[in-house]
Amino acid sequence: MVSWLQVGSFGEADVALRIASTLTLSFFATASAVLAEGDPEHGRDLARTNCARCHGVDGNARSTSFQPVPMLAGQPAVYLLEQMRNYASGKREDTSKGSAMTNFLRDLTDQDLEDLAAYYAGQARY
């Protein structure tokens, strides 16, 4: 048996929590890798022409107190893809100037969204 699973050093609830945590991390790592199958080069091109003004080319946004902008660099692709879909559908409120997020994202294909997610997921956060 794997040493960290031994009930002798942890209670049954601790073991169950560790197993659940391991399975959850495995799921998200796998899901992120699958969703990162997008074309990061095409994602970079889309980011440069449409996203860089607010989020920065590399996704390390330089927000101000007047208009906070989320950092996209290094976020899991699964999260980025879900949020872009939410903006495009109107499920997530768009507080960007002129509803820029919704206006841009609703015109993209699902492949474009996957490409953007793959690109930003692969960028280093500072």
Side-chain angles (χ1 to χ4, degrees), residues 39-87:
D39 177 2
E41 289 184 28
H42 181 243
R44 181 191 62 226
D45 293 341
L46 289 169
R48 283 184 177 165
T49 58
N50 298 285
C51 312
R53 176 186 288 168
C54 299
H55 294 285
V57 174
D58 62 357
N60 287 297
R62 278 75 172 174
S63 296
T64 68
S65 59
F66 299 109
Q67 184 67 43
V69 178
M71 290 179 64
L72 304 178
Q75 295 281 3
V78 65
Y79 171 78
L80 292 170
L81 187 56
E82 178 182 10
Q83 295 311 310
M84 288 188 288
R85 286 177 176 155
N86 288 342
Y87 273 116

Side-chain angles (χ1 to χ4, degrees), residues 24-125:
T24 301
L25 289 173
S26 297
F27 168 77
F28 282 112
T30 302
S32 186
V34 169
L35 291 174
E37 293 290 326
D39 177 2
E41 289 184 28
H42 181 243
R44 181 191 62 226
D45 293 341
L46 289 169
R48 283 184 177 165
T49 58
N50 298 285
C51 312
R53 176 186 288 168
C54 299
H55 294 285
V57 174
D58 62 357
N60 287 297
R62 278 75 172 174
S63 296
T64 68
S65 59
F66 299 109
Q67 184 67 43
V69 178
M71 290 179 64
L72 304 178
Q75 295 281 3
V78 65
Y79 171 78
L80 292 170
L81 187 56
E82 178 182 10
Q83 295 311 310
M84 288 188 288
R85 286 177 176 155
N86 288 342
Y87 273 116
S89 70
K91 187 175 180 181
R92 181 170 175 171
E93 181 183 5
D94 187 352
T95 60
S96 63
K97 188 174 183 178
S99 299
M101 291 290 299
T102 300
N103 292 333
F104 168 63
L105 293 171
R106 73 171 158 220
D107 292 333
L108 297 181
T109 66
D110 205 51
Q111 184 62 55
D112 289 336
L113 297 179
E114 289 183 22
D115 295 348
L116 276 168
Y119 171 69
Y120 279 124
Q123 299 306 298
R125 276 186 101 113

